[in-house]
Amino acid sequence: MAYELATTLTDLKEYLKPLLEGETKVVAFDFETSPMEEWRGEKEAALDPHRADITGISLSIKPETGIYVPLLHQAGKNAEDIGGIMLFLSKEIFQNRQMIKVAHNLTFEAMFLYKYGVVLLPPVYDTIAAAQLTLKEEMGFRELKDSGLKTLVPTLFNVELPTYSEVTEGRYFDELDPEDYETVRYACADADFALRLYYRFNEWFDKFLPRHRFVCEEIESPTAVYTGIMKYNGI
């Protein structure tokens, strides 16, 4: 799998060139997050945008590829011009109504984007929502407990992904060196497999339950964005 590190806007644009030039219109993304200093050591703080920041962003526009942009790692080299990169991603990707933005648990990503003043605009696609609209077996749909990325990927792609705890070994993600390939591989895999799930689930919908694709794309996924905003606001 071709996973890369991007530390400049030029690097990022080079990887995204087919997307920016309209050769594809689908991009999957994922955030790695870590607690702010005053909340370090507090359980689950990394999942709360009021107590954590985005450590890095991974994106994938083609299966088996991905790019990781380190923003706030405490070790190794972070991206240059972080403000410029975030502005570019916000305007050209996250708020671009011509691109389909895919994430696994879109509520989480939308919640953190909202912290930075960015409302993720449709079209969007939540692969967790898609998972729950597809059959796990002949007579039963997947439940939320069956829809985690680390559960779906071995089942659907026969690939075992390392767990967060295995990669971090008790540390926060921002303590990992982004120039270490294992850091890049872990981060990029989440975006890469979210993209693969997008194509896999849509094939299933088109073959078996086309109306469920409509529900996922037009109802559940846009709702996930606003659920993230509501969660950020304490609702």
Side-chain angles (χ1 to χ4, degrees):
M1 288 174 280
Y3 295 158
E4 306 170 32
L5 182 70
T7 58
T8 69
L9 184 55
T10 300
D11 294 338
L12 179 59
K13 286 182 176 180
E14 180 62 28
Y15 174 75
L16 295 175
K17 188 175 180 180
L19 180 73
L20 300 173
E21 294 184 350
E23 295 175 26
T24 180
K25 64 176 182 177
V26 184
V27 55
F29 70 101
D30 182 77
F31 296 155
E32 302 299 338
T33 60
S34 306
M36 293 180 281
E37 196 59 41
E38 60 266 39
W39 301 107
R40 298 182 88 83
E42 187 163 320
K43 188 178 180 181
E44 306 297 323
L47 306 179
D48 181 352
H50 295 283
R51 297 182 292 171
D53 292 314
I54 297 175
T55 302
I57 301 173
S58 58
L59 303 103
S60 178
I61 61 170
K62 181 181 178 182
E64 299 190 27
T65 75
I67 198 159
Y68 180 61
V69 185
L71 302 177
L72 294 175
H73 282 262
Q74 296 186 7
K77 182 180 179 182
N78 286 307
E80 302 170 9
D81 189 16
I82 293 171
I85 286 175
M86 288 299 292
L87 182 62
F88 165 78
L89 288 173
S90 298
K91 289 189 173 183
E92 301 299 327
I93 308 294
F94 300 135
Q95 296 188 309
N96 188 324
R97 290 184 179 272
Q98 305 305 312
M99 295 177 184
I100 301 169
K101 283 76 68 180
V102 178
H104 195 76
N105 189 4
L106 197 59
T107 292
F108 181 81
E109 271 71 24
M111 183 170 62
F112 268 88
L113 278 177
Y114 190 70
K115 168 182 180 165
Y116 294 91
V118 179
V119 175
L120 189 64
L121 297 181
V124 292
Y125 193 102
D126 188 349
T127 48
I128 276 188
Q132 294 175 82
L133 290 165
T134 59
L135 288 172
K136 178 183 179 182
E137 53 207 16
E138 187 175 352
M139 298 300 292
F141 285 91
R142 288 185 176 85
E143 299 178 16
L144 183 60
K145 64 183 176 63
D146 306 313
S147 301
L149 197 68
K150 302 300 189 289
T151 300
L152 291 170
V153 170
T155 302
L156 298 177
F157 300 102
N158 198 32
V159 175
E160 292 289 339
L161 295 178
T163 65
Y164 180 85
S165 59
E166 288 171 344
V167 172
T168 59
E169 298 179 327
R171 296 168 290 174
Y172 293 114
F173 206 83
D174 63 0
E175 296 176 77
L176 303 183
D177 187 342
E179 295 179 278
D180 183 338
Y181 182 70
E182 289 306 308
T183 304
V184 174
R185 184 171 74 95
Y186 178 86
C188 287
D190 286 350
D192 173 22
F193 280 102
L195 185 68
R196 295 198 223 183
L197 286 172
Y198 167 82
Y199 290 116
R200 176 66 63 90
F201 286 141
N202 278 352
E203 288 176 4
W204 190 93
F205 289 143
D206 292 344
K207 184 175 181 179
F208 297 108
L209 286 170
R211 291 183 181 181
H212 277 208
R213 177 170 178 172
F214 175 86
V215 171
C216 179
E217 293 179 334
E218 302 297 332
I219 300 174
E220 294 289 345
S221 296
T223 298
V225 173
Y226 289 99
T227 300
I229 293 172
M230 288 189 292
K231 286 184 71 174
Y232 181 85
N233 288 319
I235 299 174

